[in-house]
Every structure is written in structure tokens, then in C-alpha cells.
């Protein structure tokens, strides 16, 4: 294996590690445990509302922090250090779930918010490091590799966690509640362990800093200059607006799917099975979308994936049976990784590589700002109307308008390895 390939695998290993938080915590066990254990004393609409608030507050924090921290990281070569800080925040917050008792929904909400900040802000710096390990010609393949390993790694640990929850006696645990709490600790360990290859193997050139205050001042100045420059980089800001809209739908479906299934009366065991399907279908599908992009072009591959999302969201409004939920999960698994991976690689080709931290700060800022609106839109719609089906249907608009804006983005010229 070449040194270049080893660096790419080390970079992608972070996806393998942090995806456990996305699967076991965000999409899987946290919504169920929140509803049935931590917030069992709240009514259904209130539980959905507070789940949406926690997701939105964490995303809003990233919206405010990511561009500035990205500019500071670019100035001082600090991407890996910032990544380490936010990884530690996410890992420690996730492990702390173990000590949250029944009915302590407020503490659980705060820890979920902190863990989500660590996950989302860390992802911004992780994404920006792709320019350190891949050329433009390699971007789609390497980005798809990261998401594919994320689906596989997150899926493997999630499978173990599900078995622990369904059969706690197999693991010497008292009950499903204890198994769930231990699962959160395992997520923290998994995340920390598989982050190490990136910190050890992915290169980053350090530059002389100007002290904390000097770096912040320089970062603010660079952020101001980049905001001005963005007005002249039409393909970049057009893509950001498109991404802002369509990733809203993607992220909201990930965050609220289990809550939606519970609202329709589906058993939690069936919802967990559906999530497992998404993970293991997503592994080969993400790799396949790297190949599809090479054949059709990245934008056409994105159109294909987003079209499937439009169909799935409309279908969700009419959902009646658990089997239909399984089929919907399978369809999402086929395209979810493709949308995520190809959006990242396409954007990386549009931006100046020497400012990747700052520009990926904007990328994640808009993505997370969308995640501020999406869960709140779903939560408020259900709170006001009492209709869970209507709340999910509003997401179709974001996919459609996002595709239309994407069609107006000019194709980037190819660059060499940076």
C-alpha cells in the first residue's frame, strides 16, 4: 500500500469512528431512550419538540463557531487541534449518558446538545482535511470511501448495541436500560479509538501563530475577506445555497425518522431494524456512488440521489405498515451516503485549497443552519397540527428547490493534488 493510500485510509478512519455517534446516538437509541426512559413523564408532542430543540441548538452553535474557527485553523495550521478538542467534547458528553437517571430529560438534552456540537463541529475540520490527502481526481472516491467506512463502522457497533438492548442477559446486563447506557459508553470508546489514525498519519503544515488574541484577530480579518470574496465566487455560493436546502431534508430525516415511526405506532424494535438496514445498505451504496459519479458526473449523480429522496418523502406521508417503513429505509440507504459524499467532494473542488478550513466552516455552517430549521419545522408542525404525516411532507420543498439551484452551479476546473 502506498503512503498516499495509507493517509487516505487514516483520514477515512475518523468516519468509521464518529459515525457510531450518528447511528447509535442520533438516529438510533437516543430518540427511543429519550421517549421511553428520560422523558417518559412528558407527552408525545413535547418530547418531539425538545428533541428538535436539542438538535437545533447544537446546530446553531456550529453555525456561529465554524467559519471563525475554520479561518483561525487555516491561519495557524490548527485543523487537527480543533478536531481533537471537539472530538473530546463529543466523546466525553456521550460517555456521560451512562450516569443520567430515569426522568432526567433536561440533563440528557444538555448532554445530547454538547455531544452534537462536538460531532458537528469536529466534522467540519475533518471534512476540510480531505484536501491534504486527495487530489481533485481522487475526491469523489476518497470522500465516498469515508462515508462507506462510516456506514460500515457505525453499523457494526450499532448491531452490537442493538443485540445488547434486545438481549441484555447475553451480556450479563440487568435490563435494556442498563444495556442502552453501556452502549453509549461503547460509542465514546469507539469514536476515540478510531480517531487516532487521523491524528497520527494525516499531515498538516503548522505555521507560526500570533498568540491566541492575534490568531483570533487574524481569523476575523480573514473571515471578513472571505465573506467579500464569496460574492465573487458564484459557483461556491450557488452551491452553498443549494446544499443548504437539500441537506436540510437529509439531516432532518436522519434525526427525526425514529420519532416519526414511533408517532405512527411502529414498535421500536422494527425501527432499529430499519436503521440497521440503512447502515449496511449504505456501505456498498456509498462506494457505488463514487463509481456512478465517475461515469455520469458528480452533479448528475446528485440529481439521481435527490430524486429518490423526493419520492421517499412523499411516500412517507402515505406510510401505513412496518414493511413499508423497511422499504423506505432501504431506499434511503441506497442514496444517503451518495448525497453526503458527493456533496463534500464536489464542494472541495470548488474552493481554494489553502482556505479549506474556513470554506468548510461555511459549508458546515449552512448545512447545520438547515438542521436548525428542519427539526424545528417538523417539531412545530406536529405540535401545532398534531399530524406527524404533514410535518414530514414539508421536506419535499427543500429537495426540489435545492436541485434547481444545484443545476445553476458552474462545473469546477480540475486541479492537481495539493
Amino acid at each position: 500500500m502506498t503512503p498516499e493510500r495509507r493517509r487516505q485510509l487514516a483520514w477515512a478512519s475518523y468516519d468509521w469512528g464518529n459515525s457510531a455517534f450518528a447511528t447509535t446516538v442520533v438516529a438510533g437509541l437516543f430518540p427511543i431512550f429519550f421517549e421511553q426512559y428520560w422523558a417518559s413523564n412528558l407527552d408525545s408532542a413535547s418530547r418531539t419538540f425538545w428533541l428538535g430543540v436539542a438538535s437545533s441548538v447544537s446546530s446553531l452553535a456550529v453555525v456561529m463557531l465554524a467559519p471563525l474557527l475554520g479561518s483561525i485553523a487555516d491561519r495557524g495550521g490548527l485543523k487537527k487541534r480543533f478536531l481533537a478538542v471537539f472530538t473530546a467534547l463529543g466523546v466525553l458528553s456521550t460517555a456521560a449518558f451512562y450516569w443520567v437517571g430515569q426522568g432526567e430529560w433536561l440533563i440528557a438534552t444538555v448532554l445530547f446538545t454538547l455531544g452534537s456540537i462536538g460531532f458537528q463541529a469536529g466534522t467540519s475540520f475533518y471534512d476540510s482535511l480531505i484536501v491534504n490527502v486527495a487530489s481533485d481526481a481522487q475526491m469523489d472516491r476518497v470522500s465516498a470511501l469515508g462515508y462507506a467506512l462510516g456506514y460500515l463502522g457505525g453499523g457494526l457497533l450499532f448491531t452490537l448495541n442493538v443485540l445488547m438492548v434486545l438481549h441484555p442477559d447475553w451480556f450479563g446486563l440487568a435490563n435494556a436500560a442498563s444495556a442502552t447506557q453501556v452502549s453509549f459508553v461503547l460509542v465514546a470508546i469507539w469514536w476515540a479509538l478510531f480517531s487516532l489514525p487521523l491524528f497520527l498519519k494525516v499531515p498538516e503544515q503548522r505555521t507560526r501563530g500570533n498568540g491566541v488574541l492575534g490568531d483570533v484577530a487574524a481569523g476575523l480579518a480573514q473571515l471578513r475577506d472571505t465573506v467579500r470574496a464569496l460574492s465573487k465566487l458564484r459557483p461556491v455560493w450557488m452551491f452553498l445555497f443549494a446544499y443548504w436546502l437539500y441537506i436540510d431534508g437529509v439531516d432532518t430525516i436522519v434525526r427525526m425518522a425514529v420519532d416519526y415511526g414511533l408517532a405512527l405506532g411502529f414498535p421500536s424494535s422494527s425501527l432499529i431494524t430499519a436503521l440497521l438496514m440503512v447502515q449496511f445498505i449504505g456501505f456498498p451504496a456509498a462506494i457505488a456512488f463514487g463509481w456512478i459519479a465517475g461515469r455520469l458526473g458528480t452533479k448528475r449523480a446528485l440529481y439521481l440521489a435527490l430524486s429518490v429522496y423526493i419520492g421517499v418523502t412523499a411516500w412517507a406521508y402515505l406510510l401505513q405498515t412496518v414493511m413499508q417503513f423497511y422499504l423506505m429505509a432501504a431506499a434511503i440507504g441506497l442514496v444517503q451516503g451518495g448525497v453526503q459524499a458527493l456533496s463534500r467532494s464536489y464542494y472541495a473542488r470548488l474552493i481554494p485549497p489553502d482556505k479549506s478550513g474556513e470554506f468548510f466552516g461555511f459549508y458546515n455552517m449552512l448545512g447545520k443552519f438547515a438542521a436548525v430549521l428542519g427539526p424545528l419545522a417538523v417539531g412545530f408542525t406536529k405540535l401545532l397540527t398534531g399530524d406527524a404525516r404533514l410535518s414530514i411532507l414539508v421536506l419535499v420543498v427543500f429537495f426540489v428547490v435545492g436541485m434547481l439551484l444545484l443545476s445553476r452551479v458552474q462545473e469546477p476546473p480540475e486541479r492537481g493534488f495539493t
Side-chain angles (χ1 to χ4, degrees), residues 44-57:
S44 177
S46 295
R47 288 194 294 263
T48 299
F49 173 75
W50 284 111
L51 187 62
V53 166
S55 297
S56 298
V57 169

Side-chain angles (χ1 to χ4, degrees), residues 56-79:
S56 298
V57 169
S58 62
S59 297
L60 184 60
V62 176
V63 166
M64 298 170 65
L65 289 173
L68 174 59
L69 294 182
S71 65
I72 295 172
D74 283 335
R75 297 281 298 186
L78 299 173
K79 297 173 192 173

Side-chain angles (χ1 to χ4, degrees), residues 141-203:
R141 178 179 58 80
V142 174
S143 184
L145 173 67
Y147 273 106
L149 290 182
Y151 280 111
L152 183 58
L156 288 174
L157 184 61
F158 190 38
T159 301
L160 174 62
N161 293 334
V162 169
L163 289 174
M164 291 171 59
V165 171
L166 296 180
H167 305 283
D169 55 301
W170 293 1
F171 301 88
L173 298 168
N175 49 47
S178 297
T180 302
Q181 290 170 310
V182 171
S183 294
F184 291 139
V185 175
L186 290 180
V187 169
I189 295 172
W190 186 276
W191 187 354
L193 180 64
F194 288 104
S195 299
L196 294 178
L198 182 149
F199 293 114
L200 296 174
K201 297 294 185 181
V202 173

Side-chain angles (χ1 to χ4, degrees), residues 44-54 56-57 252 256 259 371-388 390-392 394-395:
S44 177
S46 295
R47 288 194 294 263
T48 299
F49 173 75
W50 284 111
L51 187 62
V53 166
S56 298
V57 169
T252 304
M256 308 301 285
D259 183 79
V372 171
L373 299 177
L376 280 180
V378 171
F380 270 117
T381 301
K382 183 180 175 183
L383 191 65
L384 294 174
T385 67
D387 188 347
L390 185 61
S391 68
I392 208 72
V394 299
L395 299 177

